[in-house]
Each structure stands twice: as C-alpha cells, then as structure tokens.
Amino acid sequence: MKNKIIKNSITAIVFLITIAGLAQNKSSNTVSLDVYYAKIQSEKNPQIIDARGPEEFALNHINGAVNFNLESKDYAQRIAALDKSRPVFTYSIGAGRSVWLADDLLKKGFKEAYSLEGGIANWIGNGKPFYANSKSKLTVAEYNKIIADNKTVLVDIGSRYCAGCKIVKPVLETIRAEYGTNLKIVEIDLEDNPQVIADLKTVKVFPTLILYQNGKIVFKKDGAADLKKDVDVALAH
C-alpha cells in the first residue's frame, strides 16, 4: 500500500512538472494574430494545422488547413509529410493543443512552428478568411436589432467545444433566474453562428461576454471570471 502511494505521488509530480514545462514553452511559440496572419501571407503554400478534433474541423476551419493532433493515430505519418525547413502554423479552439503540437514540432527538428494566440476564436472573431459548412443562424442586422430592442442585453459568445464556455452556462442561468425579463441573454456559439462572430470583429478568445445598456457596451470580458459580480454592479446603477 505504501509503495503504491509513493508510486502515485511520483506520477503526480512528473505530471505537474510536464505541465509546468509546457506552460513555460507557450511564450516561445505562441504569437499574436497579426504576426501569425502576416507570416501565413508571406508563404506561397503555408503549412497550417488545425489541432482540434475532426468534428470541430468539419464545422469550420482556417482556409487551407489540414487536421490532426498529438492523439491522431497517423500522427507520425502526417508529421513526416511536412517540410521541416518551412514554417508550420498550428491553432486550436484556444491555445492548448496547438501549443503542444508546435512545441513537439520544434523538438522534432522543425525550423519554425507557431501557435495562434486565441486560436480559431481569434481568427474568425477578427474577420479572417475561413471555411464553414453552414450559414449563420443569426445575422449582424438581427444581432443589432436585439441590442436596439432591449434595454439591457448580455451576450455570451463561445463554442460547445470550449471548456471555459461550459463554465459560463450555469452562471448565465443564475443571472437569468435573478433578473428575468429585465435582462435579455443572447448565446452565440461558433458552430451555429460563425459569420456573425466574424462580422462583429470583437472576439479574441472564447468565451467573450458583452453587456449592453441602451445600445452601448457597459463591459466586454474575455473569460467568465466575476461575471455575476460585474453584472450585478452594472445593473445596480
């Protein structure tokens, strides 16, 4: 029993060290959207890798991207097909899987590998060209009408594949239960509404929360930290 506890403890320590190492490497390969886009534009046939799952990729992705990640069964073969002498551009829903992939490519001898800060949210959220397999259910005109027709509107922009976005949902339900018809809550997800997210040109990460009062933005939050508190403070005035 004692040996088992020691073994588990060692495993946990190794895991934490590994995660810490990955976190330290983020700054070395994660770049801003402007830098990422400029580098892609400078390449004749850029090597772009979508490190998300195949279901996510099928719904939307950067034009010209191919789809695989560290867990793909044919990972070694896909890596072997790339040109190590040329830059590789990775992205994911945020900057998790893409950072690990870019880091692994550098370890395998690739000259350059860049992960996109903010991932697909940042790319589509700033109107860069992308593929989507369906039209948005909501248009910008309809979005603007909702803002104009309601005194107070809380907008939640995210994705069903985003872990942080899932944390927001119960908070929204608490807010909805407390404020009722005094607050209109609009939930916009990437899978159903990619074009409106692109047209708004205001999203850098998922989730993004925006509170409007009388058609004007009261606050815009990247992430859901203190969301309930911020809504309470805003509406108290």
Side-chain angles (χ1 to χ4, degrees):
M1 181 68 178
K2 184 177 180 180
N3 290 336
K4 185 177 181 181
I5 293 174
I6 293 174
K7 184 178 179 181
N8 289 341
S9 298
I10 292 174
T11 301
I13 291 171
V14 171
F15 176 77
L16 290 173
I17 291 174
T18 301
I19 295 299
L22 288 171
Q24 290 173 357
N25 288 332
K26 285 186 179 183
S27 61
S28 67
N29 60 40
T30 303
V31 296
S32 69
L33 176 63
D34 289 343
V35 171
Y36 190 88
Y37 185 68
K39 288 182 177 294
I40 284 179
Q41 291 296 100
S42 69
E43 293 287 313
K44 185 175 181 181
N45 293 299
Q47 301 183 113
I48 308 172
I49 303 175
D50 186 312
R52 299 177 297 165
E55 290 183 358
E56 297 170 78
F57 179 79
L59 291 169
N60 50 72
H61 56 260
I62 293 176
N63 290 339
V66 295
N67 177 227
F68 64 89
N69 56 49
L70 292 171
E71 297 180 351
S72 299
K73 293 180 180 179
D74 60 347
Y75 180 69
Q77 292 92 324
R78 302 298 292 272
I79 293 299
L82 298 172
D83 185 347
K84 286 188 175 183
S85 67
R86 296 174 53 229
V88 178
F89 306 92
T90 70
Y91 70 92
S92 54
I93 191 70
R97 288 166 289 184
S98 61
V99 170
W100 301 338
L101 178 55
D103 184 63
D104 192 54
L105 292 175
L106 292 173
K107 289 178 181 178
K108 285 180 166 55
F110 280 75
K111 184 179 179 181
E112 299 175 75
Y114 303 100
S115 172
L116 173 60
E117 181 181 18
I120 194 71
N122 199 7
W123 182 275
I124 294 180
N126 282 276
K128 300 303 182 187
F130 67 97
Y131 162 85
N133 71 352
S134 63
K135 293 182 179 180
S136 288
K137 294 180 179 179
L138 183 71
T139 66
V140 168
E142 291 168 336
Y143 178 93
N144 290 334
K145 190 174 188 307
I146 292 172
I147 303 305
D149 290 349
N150 293 273
K151 181 179 179 181
T152 308
V153 184
L154 177 61
V155 180
D156 166 35
I157 304 174
S159 164
R160 72 173 73 114
Y161 294 100
C162 161
C165 300
K166 295 176 182 177
I167 296 174
V168 176
K169 302 308 179 184
V171 180
L172 290 178
E173 290 307 312
T174 299
I175 293 172
R176 182 180 281 113
E178 181 171 336
Y179 290 98
T181 57
N182 292 323
L183 173 64
K184 175 75 172 179
I185 296 178
V186 179
E187 298 176 69
I188 300 175
D189 63 83
L190 176 65
E191 292 69 40
D192 292 329
N193 295 291
Q195 192 57 54
V196 72
I197 292 175
D199 291 340
L200 288 173
K201 292 183 174 63
T202 189
V203 176
K204 294 182 179 179
V205 299
F206 288 149
T208 289
L209 288 306
I210 309 172
L211 181 69
Y212 294 86
Q213 281 189 312
N214 299 316
K216 297 182 179 179
I217 295 178
V218 176
F219 68 69
K220 175 177 173 286
K221 297 171 59 66
D222 295 336
D226 298 321
L227 175 60
K228 177 65 166 58
K229 177 182 176 182
D230 290 342
V231 169
D232 289 341
V233 169
L235 298 190
H237 294 84

